[in-house]
Amino acid sequence: MNTPSSPLASARGLVKDFGRHRAVDGIDFDILRGTCFGFLGPNGAGKTTTLKMLLGLAPKSGGELSVYDLPVPERAREVRARTGLVPQADNLDPDFSVAENLRTYATYFGMKPDDVGDRVERLLAFAALTDRSEAKTDTLSGGMKRRLTIARALINEPEMVVLDEPTTGLDPQARHIIWSRLNELREQGTTLILTTHYMEEVERLCDELVIMDHGRILDQGAPKALVQRHVEPEVIELRGERAGVFADDAQGLGCRVEQMGSSLYCYSHEPGEFLGRLQSATGLTFMHRPTGLEDVFLKLTGRELRD
Amino acid sequence: MNHWRFPTVRSGAFAVWRRNIMVWRKLIGPAVVMNFGEPTLYLLGLGFGLGHFVGEMSGMPYLAFLASGIIASSAMTTATFEGMYSVYTRMDPQRTYEALMATPLEVDDILAGEMLWCGTKSLFSGIAILLVATLLGVVPGWQALWVLPVVFLIGLCFAGMAMIMSAIASNYDFFNYYFVLAISPMFILCGVFYPIDSLPDVAQGFVQLLPLTHAVALTRPLVAGGELTQPLLHLGVLAAYGAVGFYISVALVRKRLLV
């Protein structure tokens, strides 16, 4: 057994090559038991590949990887027996009803379908799907499918749940329900690992995160610590055609200025004077807010468009 | 990871088999119509129609000759359809394997379960044909029940090869090659409709390499009565095709999915 202080999952110099393309380029991380750990990065950063390697679903090309102190992929079967996976795209069984999906999935873990009745009931309640238990999965909404996929990942009472972009493509209401369920899980002591490109998701859920790009970890830490480390506490965002006119002004008053599209971002420790000047300007839209992970993310990964 | 390491099959294979039979139970109506309808059509249409002109073949009524061959070819096509279209659907567009592989199941267990299921479906088709043939009065005795385990083995044999096709397919159309180049020739050449000794010598040697020839060599005497010749050879060929097919398909599916 792990002691509480030893990491639940740990990687050293982890590498994944696809032919000549290096998707994961020597990353290190330690994920502590009972925490929520996030992999944040743009598309193609290597997040999903890293998760697949954790479960032995993609063989690593180099480095060391262990989960529950078991080497992966050599003992990935045992790791998967104690872990839940919520994949990026739903892969519920379309031939079965909601409840049958859960009962059948239990058999893949060696459980008998007749022994899991209580557990299935509990998970249906957790996923708020009790009244849809006999429905076919293709009649469910996107949010319901996600909740069922999460419930399915809990059928083996896992110590750790791995979620690959759990709320991508969901409407705001559906996302909030997912977040509240994931928080519930974390409060019960389940370790969560998730990938996302939503800052809000990380800020709401994660104790610790890594920011990845081009297969590398750019930095890691608690969300607040990363914000403090990389960006000024406040930002003024200017929009519109005339925004560019204020770039020199902002710099003169000690702001760090970045341009993205037609918006101008002015980062500052003391924005008071610049704000005063903007208030007297006409025909300008601007927003003053505390900085967050998004600013860190854009600073570290750059502002160019990704595919 | 070495994709060509030897497969290890665990009890998880039965969970995969169970999943498939649960789905089959939901679609039992069309499945049963298919199982009974097709062979009945063949036996009535060809058996009586063609049989009227043929009379006897290899010393038995043509209907008996046909029924005892169709039971083998039907096991072949049943397992082949399941091992190609259904396995491919679960592996690729439906992403069922992706869900299965997030559990302790490995590719080895999944394909072993699929293969058992293909054999089971062949068995269902064999039972249907045996019933129809019995009702038509061409099954001489209870010894014919021995054909059922043989039909299951025929299903495993052809499942292995079909799963190789699924492992290398990139779409459904690809399966046409295998049907035209392998399944249809066997259906025509391997003794289902006429004895293989009426083929030219070269062709006779060639069809000895094909598994359906050995399948028919077992099912004909078992169903229609008569002496089994070299049963171990025939069983061995079927088992070998199945085992090699399983091994290659496991390696290729590992290569396809574990990337």
Side-chain angles (χ1 to χ4, degrees), chain A residues 34-55:
Chain A
T35 61
C36 176
F37 191 95
F39 288 90
L40 181 65
N43 293 334
K47 310 183 298 285
T48 299
T49 306
T50 304
L51 293 194
K52 286 178 88 177
M53 284 194 282
L54 268 177
L55 296 176

Side-chain angles (χ1 to χ4, degrees), chain A:
Chain A
M1 279 307 286
N2 288 321
T3 58
S5 59
S6 83
L8 198 69
S10 166
R12 291 292 174 269
L14 187 62
V15 171
K16 176 67 183 181
D17 293 323
F18 292 114
R20 292 176 59 197
H21 171 62
R22 180 151 286 191
V24 175
D25 190 6
I27 63 171
D28 302 335
F29 57 81
D30 288 310
I31 298 169
L32 299 181
R33 184 179 285 274
T35 61
C36 176
F37 191 95
F39 288 90
L40 181 65
N43 293 334
K47 310 183 298 285
T48 299
T49 306
T50 304
L51 293 194
K52 286 178 88 177
M53 284 194 282
L54 268 177
L55 296 176
L57 300 174
K60 64 182 191 231
S61 308
E64 298 298 318
L65 188 58
S66 69
V67 182
Y68 312 128
D69 283 331
L70 302 169
V72 173
E74 291 79 8
R75 297 181 68 181
R77 249 175 66 81
E78 292 157 77
V79 169
R80 292 199 299 272
R82 296 160 62 181
T83 307
L85 173 66
V86 178
Q88 205 172 95
D90 290 310
N91 54 20
L92 296 163
D93 207 320
D95 295 314
F96 289 128
S97 71
V98 168
E100 284 169 336
N101 257 281
L102 296 177
R103 277 199 295 274
T104 306
Y105 213 66
T107 66
Y108 305 147
F109 288 88
M111 295 176 252
K112 293 206 170 66
D114 298 334
D115 295 349
V116 294
D118 289 349
R119 194 177 293 187
V120 167
E121 289 304 314
R122 227 171 34 245
L123 288 172
L124 285 173
F126 174 81
L129 288 168
T130 305
D131 55 347
R132 301 300 299 268
S133 67
E134 300 308 318
K136 284 291 217 63
T137 56
D138 51 16
T139 66
L140 301 180
S141 71
M144 290 173 173
K145 282 183 187 167
R146 271 298 67 186
R147 268 142 50 203
L148 178 56
T149 306
I150 292 172
R152 192 184 68 176
L154 299 173
I155 195 78
N156 57 330
E157 302 192 319
E159 293 163 57
M160 174 175 96
V161 179
V162 176
L163 306 110
D164 195 1
E165 299 192 8
T167 65
T168 298
L170 299 186
D171 63 38
Q173 288 85 347
R175 296 174 73 191
H176 277 274
I177 299 180
I178 302 277
W179 287 336
S180 82
R181 293 301 184 271
L182 295 180
N183 264 323
E184 239 174 84
L185 281 179
R186 198 183 50 159
E187 277 157 23
Q188 291 162 15
T190 309
T191 308
L192 301 180
I193 302 179
L194 62 92
T195 72
T196 185
H197 40 239
Y198 293 129
M199 312 302 147
E200 194 187 354
E201 191 155 280
V202 175
E203 278 163 349
R204 279 170 182 271
L205 296 174
C206 293
D207 304 294
E208 177 103 0
L209 73 140
V210 295
I211 297 181
M212 280 186 85
D213 198 13
H214 300 302
R216 295 203 180 148
I217 291 178
L218 303 176
D219 199 2
Q220 86 180 78
K224 278 188 182 146
L226 284 171
V227 174
Q228 278 170 10
R229 197 177 305 157
H230 291 283
V231 291
E232 296 76 359
E234 295 175 54
V235 60
I236 302 161
E237 192 180 329
L238 281 67
R239 290 178 192 162
E241 282 173 15
R242 296 190 58 230
V245 175
F246 291 87
D248 290 342
D249 259 13
Q251 266 164 342
L253 291 169
C255 296
R256 182 169 61 83
V257 176
E258 292 202 40
Q259 176 111 33
M260 182 156 85
S262 62
S263 295
L264 196 71
Y265 292 81
C266 308
Y267 293 95
S268 176
H269 290 275
E270 284 291 334
E273 204 181 336
F274 183 48
L275 269 176
R277 215 171 280 189
L278 291 176
Q279 259 140 13
S280 58
T282 53
L284 185 76
T285 312
F286 69 93
M287 188 171 71
H288 175 212
R289 59 172 172 83
T291 51
L293 267 181
E294 180 148 12
D295 303 290
V296 178
F297 184 76
L298 292 173
K299 184 180 178 194
L300 292 181
T301 62
R303 290 175 190 263
E304 77 271 25
L305 187 68
R306 302 304 175 97
D307 303 310

Side-chain angles (χ1 to χ4, degrees), chain B residues 155-237:
Chain B
L156 298 184
C157 164
F158 286 97
M161 287 181 285
M163 294 191 312
I164 295 177
M165 295 301 126
S166 286
I168 59 178
S170 51
N171 54 53
Y172 292 107
D173 294 327
F174 176 79
F175 298 135
N176 292 347
Y177 289 117
Y178 182 64
F179 266 108
V180 170
L181 298 175
I183 296 299
S184 300
M186 281 195 266
F187 187 56
I188 303 295
L189 296 175
C190 290
V192 175
F193 298 102
Y194 50 83
I196 53 173
D197 50 25
S198 53
L199 290 168
D201 285 350
V202 184
Q204 279 190 43
F206 172 68
V207 297
Q208 287 301 332
L209 301 174
L210 302 175
L212 188 62
T213 306
H214 298 276
V216 174
L218 289 165
T219 57
R220 181 147 293 138
L222 284 173
V223 172
E227 204 178 327
L228 276 170
T229 51
Q230 298 180 293
L232 290 180
L233 168 75
H234 303 312
L235 291 169
V237 170

